[in-house]
């Protein structure tokens, strides 16, 4: 297998600091947060606007990478399932996928709504959520 190199392009700045008390999904009380981008990727933020819905792809740096099965949502009364059939952060490649709405942009700082990632989480990419009208993307 070839090695893959992932470049961190920014980090999350959030009031969430504790993984255990953070919401498991965005619709479970995730707060607004800032995406802080590195200066060398600023050109890539062109054409992002407030009210845009985007996927933020993160590296869940506090997750365990040696886990292949989990009790869904940490509920030990539920049977074990393979991590690839769950949204568990613990997995061989702990990539987070977060659908958020941009609320403001201030230079390298992008404010988003409903991000369940904890403070300091590395950002590895941002992708637009395309609507039926994708002519401008």
């Amino acid at each position: 297998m070839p090695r893959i190199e992932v470049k961190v392009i920014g980090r999350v700045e959030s009031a969430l600091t504790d993984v255990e008390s953070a919401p498991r999904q965005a619709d479970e009380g995730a707060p607004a947060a800032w995406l802080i981008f590195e200066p060398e990727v600023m050109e890539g933020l062109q054409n992002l606007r407030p009210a845009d819905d985007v996927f933020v792809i993160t590296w869940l740096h506090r997750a365990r990478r040696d886990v292949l099965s989990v009790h869904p949502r940490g509920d030990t009364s539920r049977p074990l399932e393979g991590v690839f059939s769950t949204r568990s952060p613990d997995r061989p490649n702990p990539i987070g996928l977060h659908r958020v709405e941009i609320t403001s942009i201030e230079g390298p700082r992008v404010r988003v709504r409903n991000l369940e990632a904890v403070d300091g989480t590395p950002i590895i990419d941002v992708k637009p959520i395309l609507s039926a009208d994708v002519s401008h993307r």
Side-chain angles (χ1 to χ4, degrees):
M1 285 280 190
R3 290 202 55 86
I4 297 171
E5 183 177 327
V6 175
K7 181 178 179 178
V8 174
I9 62 169
R11 65 179 170 76
V12 171
E13 187 175 279
S14 173
L16 297 174
T17 58
D18 178 43
V19 173
E20 297 306 315
S21 62
R24 295 188 181 269
Q25 299 297 323
D27 63 355
E28 296 176 351
W34 287 99
L35 309 177
I36 313 297
F37 290 93
E38 295 297 328
E40 63 268 16
V41 301
M42 287 296 298
E43 183 180 342
L45 299 178
Q46 289 182 69
N47 296 54
L48 288 180
R49 299 176 215 68
D52 281 354
D53 289 322
V54 296
F55 285 117
V56 176
I57 303 167
T58 60
W59 189 264
L60 303 174
H61 63 301
R62 296 188 188 176
R64 289 183 49 198
R65 297 188 70 183
D66 61 343
V67 174
L68 292 174
S69 59
V70 295
H71 294 281
R73 302 184 66 80
D75 181 352
T76 57
S77 71
R78 296 174 69 177
L80 285 171
E81 291 187 25
V83 294
F84 304 133
S85 68
T86 75
R87 295 290 306 261
S88 172
D90 298 321
R91 55 199 323 114
N93 290 307
I95 295 170
L97 180 66
H98 317 270
R99 183 180 181 148
V100 298
E101 179 187 349
I102 296 173
T103 59
S104 67
I105 301 172
E106 299 174 10
R109 298 168 54 87
V110 177
R111 185 79 165 165
V112 296
R113 200 176 269 146
N114 299 328
L115 181 59
E116 76 279 14
V118 297
D119 189 60
T121 299
I123 300 166
I124 58 175
D125 208 347
V126 175
K127 302 271 188 186
I129 297 174
L130 301 177
S131 65
D133 175 24
V134 293
S135 58
H136 68 284
R137 304 277 184 196

